[in-house]
Amino acid sequence: MSDLESSSIASLPVMDEMAHQTYPSATLYVVATPIGNVTDISLRALHVLSLVNAVACEDTRNTATLMTRFGLHKPLIAAHQHNEREAAELLIARLQAGERIALVSDAGTPAVSDPGARIVDAVRAAGLRVLPLPGASAAVTALSASGLVNDQFYFVGFLPAKAKQRENFLGTLRAVTATMVFYEAPHRILDCASALASAFEPTRQVVFARELTKMFEEIHRCPLSEAEAWIKADGHREKGEFVVLLAGAPPADDENDVEADRILQVLLAELPVKQAAGLAAQITGRKKNALYDRALQLKN
């Protein structure tokens, strides 16, 4: 009896449909796994995990536990951030021998702020097939429940750990109009909130999505000016994995705003803020006070 036949999902009618689909050999299957709630795995993912010859994973202990919960048992290959290149060579050799290999991370979609990108790149460079199986993603899960209305989002991932590097990096994002998506560790969430509050306008909306899909899931939205106080109000809010969403900058009203910014940036490279704003007002015909405020934002 196969692993699939012995598992509880084998009796589902839809499994017959999956059995008649094509699952090519010599293929790397990039498989998304749950980010918290174990039942969020897809039926297709379970079927593929039952078919592959081996599973390449970030942590063999975590993946062994997940597989066991579904009655699946496969050889596991460690493929984490410290050995991706070596693991890629091993996986390519096995794929070239005609095997099917699944690639998973500890949670969510591999290669998205998780190991896997180098392996996928190497497998593709070797002329082998990569087949993705969609599933859980913390970034998209948080976006769907944020209520931030924007047709675009900009995935940032983890911010630099050092304060000055974080400050400089956030400075490059001030003009981004898309909703920004950050990942953050619990021990840095307060520093993250403080850095965002310093870098962006206090009225910007921020969403903290904590422990998504887990028992203590919490999704909170507020202006940046209230972010630090909200975290400090409850010690539990500095625990768990975080997705932080930040509303993007309002789009420029028209092309004149873009041109005014360009002129200000040129002038600010040579002149103090007040003089740059005054000269920009003469050039553009726009109000000096508004240009002065904008010059301060650009200067910082």
Side-chain angles (χ1 to χ4, degrees):
M1 182 178 292
S2 70
D3 289 326
L4 181 61
E5 289 170 339
S6 63
S7 70
S8 60
I9 64 170
S11 60
L12 296 176
V14 73
M15 299 307 287
D16 289 334
E17 295 180 33
M18 285 189 289
H20 288 92
Q21 294 178 10
T22 301
Y23 299 93
S25 58
T27 298
L28 180 71
Y29 293 84
V30 182
V31 182
T33 55
I35 58 176
N37 191 316
V38 71
T39 60
D40 284 339
I41 197 165
S42 73
L43 292 176
R44 185 169 172 234
L46 289 174
H47 187 56
V48 166
L49 289 173
S50 76
L51 292 175
V52 295
N53 298 98
V55 179
C57 52
E58 185 176 1
D59 188 317
T60 56
R61 295 165 298 181
N62 290 342
T63 299
T65 299
L66 179 69
M67 298 279 285
T68 299
R69 295 180 75 176
F70 291 107
L72 300 173
H73 304 279
K74 295 289 178 176
L76 302 179
I77 302 170
H80 47 72
Q81 62 178 339
H82 302 297
N83 79 337
E84 271 194 275
R85 295 191 187 280
E86 297 83 354
E89 293 178 4
L90 171 63
L91 297 178
I92 288 170
R94 296 186 64 159
L95 291 168
Q96 288 173 334
E99 292 190 5
R100 299 180 182 93
I101 304 289
L103 174 66
V104 303
S105 63
D106 283 348
T109 302
V112 182
S113 276
D114 268 335
R118 288 187 177 89
I119 290 173
V120 171
D121 180 52
V123 169
R124 285 194 173 281
L128 294 160
R129 184 169 181 178
V130 177
L131 199 157
L133 274 68
S137 166
V140 174
T141 301
L143 275 166
S144 70
S146 70
L148 295 174
V149 182
N150 195 328
D151 291 335
Q152 298 179 322
F153 72 90
Y154 178 71
F155 180 72
V156 180
F158 286 95
L159 289 170
K162 294 184 178 179
K164 190 60 179 178
Q165 292 177 350
R166 186 167 55 234
E167 177 187 343
N168 292 338
F169 179 69
L170 289 174
T172 68
L173 302 178
R174 290 193 183 100
V176 173
T177 56
T179 298
M180 287 165 274
V181 184
F182 306 89
Y183 285 167
E184 195 52 273
H187 64 279
R188 288 202 300 264
I189 190 61
L190 195 55
D191 290 339
C192 173
S194 176
L196 292 174
S198 297
F200 300 93
E201 304 90 337
T203 54
R204 286 256 197 138
Q205 291 289 301
V206 63
V207 176
F208 295 97
R210 185 177 73 87
E211 293 289 84
L212 286 171
T213 79
K214 301 177 184 177
M215 182 181 296
F216 299 107
E217 175 182 276
E218 188 170 17
I219 301 174
H220 177 75
R221 176 172 162 178
C222 65
L224 265 179
S225 58
E226 301 174 9
E228 290 182 74
W230 178 78
I231 295 171
K232 291 177 180 178
D234 186 338
H236 289 96
R237 291 173 185 162
E238 293 186 60
K239 298 178 181 179
E241 299 300 322
F242 282 84
V243 181
V244 180
L245 309 176
L246 182 67
D253 290 337
D254 51 42
E255 293 182 1
N256 291 333
D257 289 335
V258 177
E259 179 63 9
D261 276 3
R262 188 189 70 79
I263 291 169
L264 279 171
Q265 288 171 330
V266 172
L267 295 174
L268 286 169
E270 303 293 338
L271 299 171
V273 171
K274 186 175 181 179
Q275 288 180 267
L279 190 53
Q282 294 179 40
I283 295 171
T284 64
R286 299 170 74 87
K287 292 183 179 180
K288 181 179 178 180
N289 287 345
L291 289 170
Y292 179 81
D293 290 340
R294 181 58 181 156
L296 286 175
Q297 292 177 347
L298 295 172
K299 189 72 173 177
N300 293 331

